[in-house]
Amino acid sequence: MKIICSGYPKTGTKTMCAALRLLGYQVYDFEEQFLFLGDELQTALDHGITQEKLRKIFKGVDAITDVPGCAIWEELAKAFPEAKVIHTERSSDNEWSESMWSQMMAVYTHPWMTLYGQISSPTGRKANRIANSAFRVLFSRSEFNSWHQPPLNMTMEKLRYRQHNAYVKQALPKERLLVFDVRDGWEPLCRFLGVPVPSVNFPHKNKSGIEVSSIIEQSKMSDMIRREAVIFTFILFLLITIIVLVVIIYVA
């Protein structure tokens, strides 16, 4: 592990993932963490994890962005003492909370993240569990799913956001930490990492949180949920058909 991105969701995590990949790093964003390390990270969020285990499961991974990794950033920093930490922030907590709210509502209303997607797909249920665990750790938030939407207390979430930002900055030596605003582009990022500035434009992804639907649609996780939902629907239809035929035969 070379780079740990400790910033909360909606501080430019998708942008950071894209930028680090353009620089040649092997990055595990939420989807890779979920698909390849979901069980281990679920345990880490719920029960804790050793440094030895972290070194084992993240072997060969250069960088992590977004949840659930940012929720265990400090454990990762201890497990990989040579790794640099990039901490992304928004210009204000109000800007962050508005973007976070938009994303949560987009997820809540997305077809594959709704009640049907979670009932019909083991992958959907697993994704919901790990997201809820991560948000419990980060925000002290109640369980969030498509049939139970608890009140989202953005005042308390902004408090957790400010506490997280302050703690990261006081917990690490300055030479190991870059506090980064993605609007600043390549120059400070590449200087901190000691790599050349690429000739391509700095990427900007999911700025307001409303692009989450297209991100979900393009993901492998969404493909898995979709396939499982189709199989579930076919089996359910088949069972209903068999039951109806049996009833018809019995009545006749």
Side-chain angles (χ1 to χ4, degrees):
M1 180 78 70
K2 300 175 182 178
I3 302 166
I4 301 162
C5 293
S6 58
Y8 265 16
K10 301 314 307 154
T11 60
T13 55
K14 291 292 175 287
T15 294
M16 281 304 307
C17 178
L20 292 174
R21 285 174 176 165
L22 285 172
L23 293 174
Y25 293 102
Q26 172 76 11
V27 185
Y28 270 29
D29 195 35
F30 169 76
E31 185 172 26
E32 291 77 21
Q33 293 177 61
F34 170 73
L35 292 176
F36 305 133
L37 301 173
D39 293 339
E40 292 88 345
L41 293 175
Q42 181 73 60
T43 300
L45 292 167
D46 292 341
H47 305 289
I49 191 168
T50 65
Q51 294 179 30
E52 181 181 2
K53 182 70 170 179
L54 285 172
R55 285 190 287 269
K56 180 179 179 181
I57 66 175
F58 281 105
K59 185 178 181 181
V61 178
D62 293 329
I64 62 102
T65 55
D66 210 343
V67 293
C70 68
I72 56 169
W73 74 270
E74 190 169 20
E75 288 81 358
L76 286 166
K78 291 175 181 176
F80 299 96
E82 301 304 314
K84 294 186 176 182
V85 178
I86 299 174
H87 185 69
T88 47
E89 295 181 353
R90 299 294 284 258
S91 60
S92 71
D93 57 1
N94 284 330
E95 182 184 63
W96 171 81
S97 67
E98 289 172 4
S99 184
M100 190 69 192
W101 174 269
S102 296
Q103 176 154 304
M104 289 309 301
M105 292 302 101
V107 170
Y108 184 76
T109 56
H110 189 276
W112 300 120
M113 301 296 137
T114 55
L115 176 61
Y116 179 71
Q118 291 178 29
I119 287 178
S120 62
S121 166
T123 300
R125 292 192 294 274
K126 184 176 179 180
N128 187 62
R129 284 196 301 273
I130 198 167
N132 273 323
S133 292
F135 290 140
R136 185 194 69 245
V137 172
L138 292 173
F139 302 124
S140 304
R141 183 189 290 174
S142 301
E143 184 173 307
F144 189 100
N145 53 52
S146 295
W147 56 90
H148 170 62
Q149 181 186 352
L152 289 178
N153 186 335
M154 298 312 294
T155 299
M156 291 304 299
E157 299 211 2
K158 285 192 289 185
L159 173 61
R160 295 285 182 267
Y161 170 74
R162 292 193 299 269
Q163 289 172 335
H164 177 76
N165 292 342
Y167 181 68
V168 172
K169 286 182 276 192
Q170 67 90 26
L172 291 167
K174 291 183 178 180
E175 61 272 14
R176 193 182 179 190
L177 174 67
L178 172 66
V179 179
F180 185 56
D181 186 326
V182 296
R183 294 176 299 181
D184 293 337
W186 287 122
E187 188 61 39
L189 177 63
C190 291
R191 184 170 59 249
F192 177 69
L193 295 176
V195 298
V197 175
S199 57
V200 297
N201 291 332
F202 190 83
H204 290 283
K205 304 289 185 180
N206 197 27
K207 294 181 182 179
S208 62
I210 58 175
E211 297 172 30
V212 67
S213 293
S214 62
I215 292 172
I216 292 172
E217 285 299 326
Q218 297 167 11
S219 71
K220 292 179 182 178
M221 182 181 71
S222 181
D223 288 341
M224 293 171 65
I225 293 173
R226 187 182 294 108
R227 286 196 300 269
E228 291 165 0
V230 169
I231 293 170
F232 174 86
T233 302
F234 174 76
I235 293 173
L236 182 62
F237 176 78
L238 187 62
L239 288 174
I240 291 173
T241 302
I242 292 171
I243 291 170
V244 170
L245 289 174
V246 169
V247 170
I248 291 173
I249 292 171
Y250 178 78
V251 171

